[in-house]
Amino acid sequence: MQGRCSLCEREEVLTRHHLIPRCRHHNRRNKRDVPREQAYETIGLCPPCHKQVHALLTEKELEREWNTIEKLRSHPELSRFIAWIRKRPTGFRCKAYAA
């Protein structure tokens, strides 16, 4: 699907990112504390941003601490990456790097 990346805001072909990773949906704490509609919420990310999110954060960290767009944008290393990738043209691809 084509659209604007939720993190870097570049116009790109997007991939779907689950704010709470699917592998964590079965977690008891998650089932108890998170409404179902929030657990299944997804956002559109360009491939470089999506790769970087998963290169920097574990599934458990994504579930517990970094489960909103605002929180992801505030992550120190991810925010540096977002500032850098914003300056790149549509279609630009890079390898994810853990700064």
Side-chain angles (χ1 to χ4, degrees):
M1 94 181 140
Q2 187 76 20
R4 191 166 294 282
C5 175
S6 296
L7 292 179
C8 70
E9 300 176 343
R10 295 182 311 140
E11 194 68 31
E12 279 284 349
V13 173
L14 301 177
T15 58
R16 198 167 38 176
H17 172 72
H18 289 83
L19 289 171
I20 296 177
R22 288 186 301 170
C23 67
R24 303 295 298 171
H25 287 180
H26 70 282
N27 180 298
R28 259 191 238 166
R29 179 179 178 263
N30 187 6
K31 284 182 176 180
R32 182 187 67 229
D33 297 341
V34 179
R36 289 297 91 201
E37 59 278 355
Q38 183 183 351
Y40 292 100
E41 186 178 354
T42 62
I43 58 173
L45 296 180
C46 66
C49 285
H50 203 169
K51 287 178 185 176
Q52 190 65 17
V53 165
H54 287 286
L56 292 173
L57 301 164
T58 66
E59 308 295 352
K60 193 173 196 174
E61 290 171 328
L62 285 167
E63 173 200 5
R64 295 193 176 173
E65 300 169 46
W66 307 101
N67 54 19
T68 67
I69 295 169
E70 295 78 25
K71 288 178 182 178
L72 286 171
R73 283 186 182 148
S74 71
H75 186 280
E77 294 172 46
L78 193 53
S79 64
R80 279 198 308 262
F81 177 82
I82 292 167
W84 176 80
I85 197 76
R86 272 191 182 138
K87 299 172 188 166
R88 305 300 176 258
T90 298
F92 178 80
R93 296 292 182 255
C94 63
K95 292 183 179 180
Y97 68 92

